Amino acid sequence: MCGIVGIVAKSNVNQTIFDALTVLQHRGQDAAGMVTCEGNRFFLRKDNGLVNEVFRTRHMKRLAGNVGIGHVRYPTAGSSSSAEAQPFYVNSPYGIALAHNGNLTNADDVAEQMFRADLRHINTTSDSEVLLNVLAHELQLQGKLKPQAEDMFAAVQRVHERCKGGYAAVALITGYGMLAFRDPHGIRPLIYGKRETKSGTEYMVASESVALDISGFERVRDIAPGEAIYIDMAGNVSTQQCAENTTLAPCLFEYVYLARPDSIIDEVNVHISRMRMGKKLADKIRRERPDHDIDVIIPIPDTSRTSAMEMAKELGVTFREGFIKNRYIGRTFIMPGQVQRKKSVRRKLNPIGMEFKDKVVMLVDDSIVRGTTSSQIVQMARDVGAKKVYFASAAPPVKFPNVYGIDMPAAEELIAHGRTDKEIGEEIGCDWMIYQELDDLKQSVSEGNPSITEFDTCVFDGQYVAGDIDEDYLKRLKAARNDSAKGKNKKASSNESSNLCSKID
């Protein structure tokens, strides 16, 4: 999971892109990057680190131009190499920079085709570089010295034909404009908006609507599955459907965990969908234990707070904040390596003893992936005197790896894989484990937009909506994502130089 943004404006865009990336920081804390365009020249800055660490005043001064794109990244398969920070750039044709959120499931095959048939070299292991080179090659085949919108759309159509998986991308074409597109299933989110200025209308595309909100852009609509939008340097907007047999099947995990609650994705208010998740959990508790003895409901900050509050309201149980979160520790879910995750949990959360002592506590989290964090939090609650510790997950059991841009571990490292709910509860040390039902989760989201009839639910049921996933692919994924492999990747990447600030002429 990553965050992307692109802007076509009437004045310098570097500060607006910076602001957008800061509110998309939750989507990736490993690296950040920005490319701007002035005339026929690109200006690039990217490196490992948080947004406010990567972009200093000296870098911002060099990022000139009224058009630009930005990216925040988290490491896939444990890689934290700065060589894979985005955006990526190629100089033929025209000069194209691209930032990407998602994952191409046939990246290896396409990279081989690019080398043998298209005579293009892929320099990293990033599928984003593959996507960029496919787009560049297909644009070059259009054979236009001055490409028009129809040439952009023809190239995107070929991208959809060649690339499989889940992806949302934004590209900058030197001197011509900005192109953005979304995969034919709409798995990864992409939205665009506009704002009126004295100099004219400006446009932004981004992963989440919150990026538009903070800079005063009015949300226009989500980019449809398989659709592309092209905005030229003058601010003229063109859109076209570039794929056949499209289906809107957004990633369900976006609403559970990935997205900010103040975002709207595919017309669904994320905050309200999480409220519904809490109500559904309360209904399940009433069905299973109408005479429950819960004294207090405590969220595990921050993503579960909305669901926990609604659960408490529905059950008529006291809601309390029981954990204080260290805001300077990143999201443990997206940290490479089990050792680092274990160390981070205790540094990240500290319990308020009086909220637990001698009480039957229901802890609520958005989901459980490995169980590492959950087991430590349950023990924290016991250590400060909880009489009983129950645990509720706003999402169903996570049993399968994600292949569309979320770096979940191999199936065997997922605590729910091959275990019953009761066994999971025993594994994390709680007295009662309760999970959201998958149908209830789907309904919690689709009530916000009834036109969504299908979701990417692969982490819950192993059904991969974009297809082309077999046992061999999952075996290769397992080899890349297990914690031992991540440790090796981290050690190797630590030896690389990360001074990637440059100006491209």
Side-chain angles (χ1 to χ4, degrees):
M1 143 195 104
C2 299
I4 60 175
V5 61
I7 302 176
V8 176
K10 303 299 182 181
S11 59
N12 283 347
V13 296
N14 54 357
Q15 186 62 52
T16 307
I17 293 175
F18 177 93
D19 293 341
L21 292 179
T22 59
V23 297
L24 295 175
Q25 186 76 84
H26 61 287
R27 301 188 68 87
Q29 300 164 6
D30 179 63
M34 186 190 308
V35 170
T36 60
C37 181
E38 185 175 54
N40 290 319
R41 298 169 69 183
F42 276 164
F43 299 88
L44 166 68
R45 166 64 182 170
K46 60 178 181 177
D47 202 351
N48 278 5
L50 301 176
V51 173
N52 62 359
E53 297 169 340
V54 171
F55 301 107
R56 302 295 188 180
T57 301
R58 64 184 183 275
H59 307 127
M60 296 292 282
K61 288 180 177 178
R62 296 182 64 190
L63 292 166
N66 298 352
V67 182
I69 62 176
H71 185 267
V72 287
R73 173 185 182 269
Y74 89 110
T76 54
S79 171
S80 57
S81 168
S82 58
E84 296 192 5
Q86 297 184 39
F88 284 106
Y89 164 83
V90 292
N91 61 11
S92 176
Y94 321 118
I96 306 171
L98 178 141
H100 160 233
N101 171 35
N103 182 56
L104 303 187
T105 55
N106 65 338
D108 291 345
D109 292 340
V110 176
E112 182 71 12
Q113 294 169 9
M114 296 299 297
F115 176 71
R116 295 190 178 279
D118 302 338
L119 304 181
R120 282 183 173 267
H121 172 67
I122 308 299
N123 195 52
T124 71
T125 59
S126 174
D127 60 328
S128 301
E129 190 185 9
V130 174
L131 185 63
L132 168 61
N133 276 274
V134 172
L135 176 64
H137 178 73
E138 297 302 332
L139 270 174
Q140 190 162 345
L141 291 182
Q142 302 304 309
K144 300 288 185 65
L145 180 61
K146 296 182 178 181
Q148 303 299 314
E150 57 266 26
D151 303 306
M152 304 292 177
F153 297 144
V156 173
Q157 181 177 348
R158 284 289 294 146
V159 169
H160 289 323
E161 291 171 1
R162 297 183 66 174
C163 298
K164 298 182 183 298
Y167 50 89
V170 59
L172 195 57
I173 297 92
T174 321
Y176 294 103
M178 181 179 70
L179 175 68
F181 53 93
R182 194 176 181 191
D183 71 80
H185 293 86
I187 297 172
R188 300 266 69 88
L190 191 63
I191 191 169
Y192 88 96
K194 64 180 182 179
R195 69 179 178 187
E196 301 297 334
T197 70
K198 292 180 180 180
S199 301
T201 306
E202 300 179 334
Y203 295 92
M204 177 190 289
V205 296
S207 294
E208 294 185 31
S209 62
V210 65
L212 280 62
D213 297 340
I214 59 104
S215 294
F217 283 80
E218 173 192 354
R219 183 171 60 93
V220 176
R221 64 176 176 86
D222 298 274
I223 304 299
E227 186 183 25
I229 179 171
Y230 175 62
I231 307 168
D232 66 22
M233 290 295 197
N236 299 306
V237 179
S238 303
T239 63
Q240 184 170 304
Q241 178 55 251
C242 299
E244 298 179 353
N245 302 319
T246 61
T247 303
L248 178 58
C251 173
L252 201 51
F253 210 66
E254 287 276 357
Y255 300 94
V256 170
Y257 174 80
L258 300 182
R260 276 180 47 145
D262 48 344
S263 283
I264 298 173
I265 296 178
D266 289 313
E267 300 297 329
V268 177
N269 185 301
V270 175
H271 176 69
I272 295 175
S273 72
R274 289 176 183 170
M275 292 174 64
R276 297 190 193 102
M277 294 173 203
K279 292 178 181 179
K280 299 288 187 184
L281 270 174
D283 291 342
K284 185 173 181 180
I285 288 172
R286 278 195 291 257
R287 290 195 306 269
E288 293 195 1
R289 294 194 181 182
D291 56 347
H292 69 80
D293 57 348
I294 303 170
D295 293 320
V296 62
I297 291 177
I298 294 177
I300 298 169
D302 285 313
T303 324
S304 65
R305 183 173 287 113
T306 304
S307 296
M309 289 181 69
E310 285 303 304
M311 181 197 295
K313 178 183 175 182
E314 289 292 310
L315 293 175
V317 174
T318 300
F319 173 87
R320 286 284 190 270
E321 294 286 351
F323 294 100
I324 298 301
K325 181 179 179 181
N326 183 347
R327 302 293 173 183
Y328 304 99
I329 298 292
R331 301 177 100 172
T332 53
F333 167 70
I334 62 176
M335 288 183 177
Q338 187 77 342
V339 173
Q340 187 175 354
R341 284 189 296 271
K342 285 183 177 180
K343 288 180 179 179
S344 295
V345 175
R346 288 281 182 172
R347 295 199 302 261
K348 181 178 180 180
L349 297 175
N350 194 49
I352 302 173
M354 62 174 288
E355 300 295 354
F356 295 86
K357 188 172 177 58
D358 300 325
K359 296 177 183 177
V360 177
V361 178
M362 170 64 82
L363 301 177
V364 182
D365 208 351
D366 52 79
S367 59
I368 305 175
V369 181
R370 296 171 180 85
T372 307
T373 300
S374 304
S375 61
Q376 293 190 53
I377 289 173
V378 169
Q379 189 57 51
M380 285 184 203
R382 295 198 188 281
D383 290 344
V384 292
K387 187 189 303 181
K388 293 181 184 176
V389 181
Y390 302 152
F391 204 105
S393 168
V398 175
K399 298 182 177 182
F400 303 93
N402 185 283
V403 301
Y404 301 128
I406 307 175
D407 187 28
M408 287 186 174
E412 289 76 10
E413 293 177 8
L414 298 167
I415 193 170
H417 187 77
R419 290 187 176 96
T420 64
D421 293 1
K422 182 179 179 180
E423 289 170 339
I424 296 166
E426 292 171 351
E427 190 72 18
I428 68 172
C430 69
D431 298 292
W432 178 32
M433 180 73 235
I434 184 165
Y435 276 103
Q436 186 84 264
E437 296 295 327
L438 182 55
D439 286 344
D440 285 345
L441 179 58
K442 290 179 181 179
Q443 190 175 358
S444 296
V445 178
S446 62
E447 281 184 25
N449 182 1
S451 67
I452 303 177
T453 59
E454 189 175 351
F455 292 95
D456 164 36
T457 57
C458 61
V459 298
F460 306 121
D461 58 12
Q463 301 298 310
Y464 297 97
V465 296
D468 201 32
I469 302 301
D470 55 22
E471 284 301 317
D472 287 340
Y473 184 91
L474 294 176
K475 285 179 181 178
R476 294 195 302 272
L477 198 69
K478 175 183 175 181
R481 288 186 176 178
N482 65 63
D483 278 322
S484 60
K486 290 182 176 183
K488 292 177 182 178
N489 288 340
K490 183 181 178 184
K491 183 177 180 181
S493 65
S494 67
N495 296 323
E496 295 184 10
S497 169
S498 60
N499 184 19
L500 295 179
C501 179
S502 61
K503 177 179 72 177
I504 302 175
D505 295 334

